[in-house]
CSV table of all heavy atoms in Angstrom, one decimal:
chain,number,residue,atom,x,y,z
B,106,SER,N,74.0,10.5,-128.7
B,106,SER,CA,73.5,9.4,-129.5
B,106,SER,C,73.9,9.6,-131.0
B,106,SER,O,73.7,10.7,-131.5
B,106,SER,CB,72.0,9.2,-129.4
B,106,SER,OG,71.5,8.3,-130.3
B,107,CYS,N,74.6,8.6,-131.6
B,107,CYS,CA,75.1,8.8,-132.9
B,107,CYS,C,73.9,8.7,-133.9
B,107,CYS,O,73.1,7.8,-133.9
B,107,CYS,CB,76.1,7.7,-133.2
B,107,CYS,SG,76.7,7.8,-134.9
B,108,PRO,N,73.8,9.7,-134.8
B,108,PRO,CA,72.7,9.7,-135.8
B,108,PRO,C,72.9,8.5,-136.8
B,108,PRO,O,71.9,8.3,-137.6
B,108,PRO,CB,72.9,11.0,-136.5
B,108,PRO,CG,73.7,11.9,-135.7
B,108,PRO,CD,74.6,10.9,-134.9
B,109,HIS,N,74.0,7.8,-136.8
B,109,HIS,CA,74.1,6.7,-137.7
B,109,HIS,C,73.4,5.5,-137.2
B,109,HIS,O,72.2,5.3,-137.5
B,109,HIS,CB,75.6,6.4,-137.9
B,109,HIS,CG,75.8,5.1,-138.8
B,109,HIS,ND1,76.9,4.2,-138.5
B,109,HIS,CD2,75.1,4.6,-139.8
B,109,HIS,CE1,76.8,3.2,-139.4
B,109,HIS,NE2,75.8,3.4,-140.2
B,110,ARG,N,73.9,4.8,-136.2
B,110,ARG,CA,73.2,3.6,-135.7
B,110,ARG,C,72.9,3.7,-134.2
B,110,ARG,O,72.5,2.8,-133.6
B,110,ARG,CB,74.1,2.3,-135.9
B,110,ARG,CG,74.3,1.9,-137.4
B,110,ARG,CD,73.4,0.8,-137.8
B,110,ARG,NE,73.7,-0.4,-137.0
B,110,ARG,CZ,74.8,-1.2,-137.2
B,110,ARG,NH1,75.6,-1.0,-138.2
B,110,ARG,NH2,74.9,-2.3,-136.5
B,111,GLY,N,73.1,4.9,-133.7
B,111,GLY,CA,72.6,5.2,-132.4
B,111,GLY,C,73.5,5.0,-131.2
B,111,GLY,O,73.1,5.1,-130.1
B,112,ARG,N,74.8,4.6,-131.5
B,112,ARG,CA,75.7,4.4,-130.3
B,112,ARG,C,75.8,5.6,-129.5
B,112,ARG,O,75.9,6.8,-130.0
B,112,ARG,CB,77.1,4.0,-130.9
B,112,ARG,CG,78.0,3.5,-129.8
B,112,ARG,CD,79.5,3.5,-130.2
B,112,ARG,NE,80.4,2.8,-129.3
B,112,ARG,CZ,80.8,3.3,-128.1
B,112,ARG,NH1,80.4,4.5,-127.7
B,112,ARG,NH2,81.6,2.5,-127.4
B,113,GLN,N,75.9,5.5,-128.2
B,113,GLN,CA,76.2,6.6,-127.3
B,113,GLN,C,77.6,7.1,-127.7
B,113,GLN,O,78.6,6.4,-127.9
B,113,GLN,CB,76.3,6.1,-125.9
B,113,GLN,CG,76.3,7.2,-124.9
B,113,GLN,CD,76.2,6.7,-123.4
B,113,GLN,OE1,76.6,5.6,-123.1
B,113,GLN,NE2,75.8,7.6,-122.5
B,114,LEU,N,77.7,8.4,-127.9
B,114,LEU,CA,78.9,9.0,-128.4
B,114,LEU,C,80.0,9.1,-127.4
B,114,LEU,O,81.2,8.9,-127.6
B,114,LEU,CB,78.7,10.4,-129.0
B,114,LEU,CG,77.8,10.4,-130.2
B,114,LEU,CD1,77.3,11.8,-130.5
B,114,LEU,CD2,78.6,9.9,-131.4
B,125,ARG,N,83.7,12.0,-131.7
B,125,ARG,CA,83.8,10.9,-132.6
B,125,ARG,C,83.1,9.7,-132.1
B,125,ARG,O,83.3,9.3,-130.9
B,125,ARG,CB,85.3,10.7,-132.7
B,125,ARG,CG,85.7,9.6,-133.7
B,125,ARG,CD,87.3,9.6,-133.9
B,125,ARG,NE,87.7,8.6,-134.9
B,125,ARG,CZ,88.0,7.4,-134.6
B,125,ARG,NH1,87.8,6.9,-133.3
B,125,ARG,NH2,88.4,6.6,-135.5
B,126,CYS,N,82.4,9.1,-133.0
B,126,CYS,CA,81.7,7.9,-132.5
B,126,CYS,C,82.6,6.7,-132.6
B,126,CYS,O,83.3,6.5,-133.6
B,126,CYS,CB,80.4,7.6,-133.4
B,126,CYS,SG,79.5,6.1,-133.0
B,127,GLY,N,82.6,5.9,-131.6
B,127,GLY,CA,83.5,4.7,-131.5
B,127,GLY,C,83.1,3.5,-132.3
B,127,GLY,O,83.8,2.5,-132.2
B,128,PHE,N,81.9,3.6,-133.0
B,128,PHE,CA,81.5,2.4,-133.7
B,128,PHE,C,82.0,2.4,-135.1
B,128,PHE,O,82.7,1.5,-135.5
B,128,PHE,CB,79.9,2.4,-133.7
B,128,PHE,CG,79.3,1.1,-133.9
B,128,PHE,CD1,77.9,1.0,-133.7
B,128,PHE,CD2,80.0,0.0,-134.3
B,128,PHE,CE1,77.2,-0.3,-133.9
B,128,PHE,CE2,79.3,-1.3,-134.5
B,128,PHE,CZ,78.0,-1.4,-134.3
B,129,HIS,N,81.7,3.5,-135.9
B,129,HIS,CA,82.1,3.5,-137.3
B,129,HIS,C,82.9,4.8,-137.6
B,129,HIS,O,83.1,5.2,-138.8
B,129,HIS,CB,81.0,3.4,-138.3
B,129,HIS,CG,80.1,2.3,-138.0
B,129,HIS,ND1,78.9,2.4,-137.2
B,129,HIS,CD2,80.1,0.9,-138.3
B,129,HIS,CE1,78.3,1.2,-137.1
B,129,HIS,NE2,79.0,0.3,-137.8
B,130,ALA,N,83.2,5.6,-136.6
B,130,ALA,CA,84.1,6.8,-136.7
B,130,ALA,C,83.4,8.0,-137.3
B,130,ALA,O,84.1,8.9,-137.8
B,130,ALA,CB,85.4,6.5,-137.4
B,131,LEU,N,82.1,8.1,-137.4
B,131,LEU,CA,81.6,9.4,-137.8
B,131,LEU,C,82.1,10.4,-136.8
B,131,LEU,O,82.1,10.2,-135.6
B,131,LEU,CB,80.0,9.4,-137.8
B,131,LEU,CG,79.4,9.1,-139.1
B,131,LEU,CD1,79.6,7.6,-139.5
B,131,LEU,CD2,77.9,9.5,-139.1
B,132,THR,N,82.4,11.6,-137.3
B,132,THR,CA,83.1,12.6,-136.4
B,132,THR,C,82.6,14.0,-136.7
B,132,THR,O,82.3,14.4,-137.8
B,132,THR,CB,84.6,12.6,-136.7
B,132,THR,OG1,85.1,11.2,-136.6
B,132,THR,CG2,85.4,13.5,-135.8
B,133,TRP,N,82.4,14.7,-135.5
B,133,TRP,CA,81.8,16.1,-135.6
B,133,TRP,C,82.8,17.1,-134.9
B,133,TRP,O,83.6,16.7,-134.0
B,133,TRP,CB,80.5,16.1,-134.8
B,133,TRP,CG,79.4,15.3,-135.5
B,133,TRP,CD1,78.4,15.8,-136.3
B,133,TRP,CD2,79.2,13.9,-135.3
B,133,TRP,NE1,77.6,14.8,-136.7
B,133,TRP,CE2,78.0,13.6,-136.1
B,133,TRP,CE3,79.8,12.9,-134.6
B,133,TRP,CZ2,77.5,12.4,-136.2
B,133,TRP,CZ3,79.3,11.6,-134.7
B,133,TRP,CH2,78.1,11.4,-135.5
B,143,PRO,N,82.8,8.3,-142.9
B,143,PRO,CA,83.6,7.2,-143.6
B,143,PRO,C,82.7,6.6,-144.7
B,143,PRO,O,81.5,6.6,-144.6
B,143,PRO,CB,83.8,6.2,-142.5
B,143,PRO,CG,82.7,6.4,-141.5
B,143,PRO,CD,82.4,7.9,-141.6
B,148,PHE,N,76.6,6.8,-148.0
B,148,PHE,CA,75.6,7.7,-147.4
B,148,PHE,C,75.1,8.7,-148.4
B,148,PHE,O,74.8,9.8,-148.1
B,148,PHE,CB,76.2,8.5,-146.2
B,148,PHE,CG,76.6,7.6,-145.0
B,148,PHE,CD1,77.9,7.4,-144.7
B,148,PHE,CD2,75.6,7.0,-144.2
B,148,PHE,CE1,78.2,6.6,-143.6
B,148,PHE,CE2,75.9,6.3,-143.2
B,148,PHE,CZ,77.3,6.1,-142.8
B,156,TRP,N,73.7,15.7,-141.4
B,156,TRP,CA,74.5,15.0,-140.4
B,156,TRP,C,74.8,15.8,-139.2
B,156,TRP,O,75.6,15.4,-138.4
B,156,TRP,CB,75.7,14.3,-141.0
B,156,TRP,CG,75.4,13.2,-141.9
B,156,TRP,CD1,75.3,13.1,-143.2
B,156,TRP,CD2,75.0,11.9,-141.4
B,156,TRP,NE1,75.0,11.9,-143.7
B,156,TRP,CE2,74.8,11.1,-142.6
B,156,TRP,CE3,74.9,11.3,-140.2
B,156,TRP,CZ2,74.4,9.8,-142.5
B,156,TRP,CZ3,74.5,9.9,-140.1
B,156,TRP,CH2,74.3,9.2,-141.3
V,1,LIG,S1,76.9,4.2,-134.9
V,1,LIG,FE1,78.1,5.9,-134.8
V,1,LIG,S2,79.3,5.8,-136.5
V,1,LIG,FE2,78.0,4.2,-136.7
Side-chain angles (χ1 to χ4, degrees):
S106 171
C107 180
H109 174 217
R110 292 258 301 282
R112 189 196 193 282
Q113 192 176 23
L114 292 166
R125 183 171 182 271
C126 180
F128 202 173
H129 311 94
L131 266 73
T132 306
W133 293 263
F148 294 111
W156 286 102

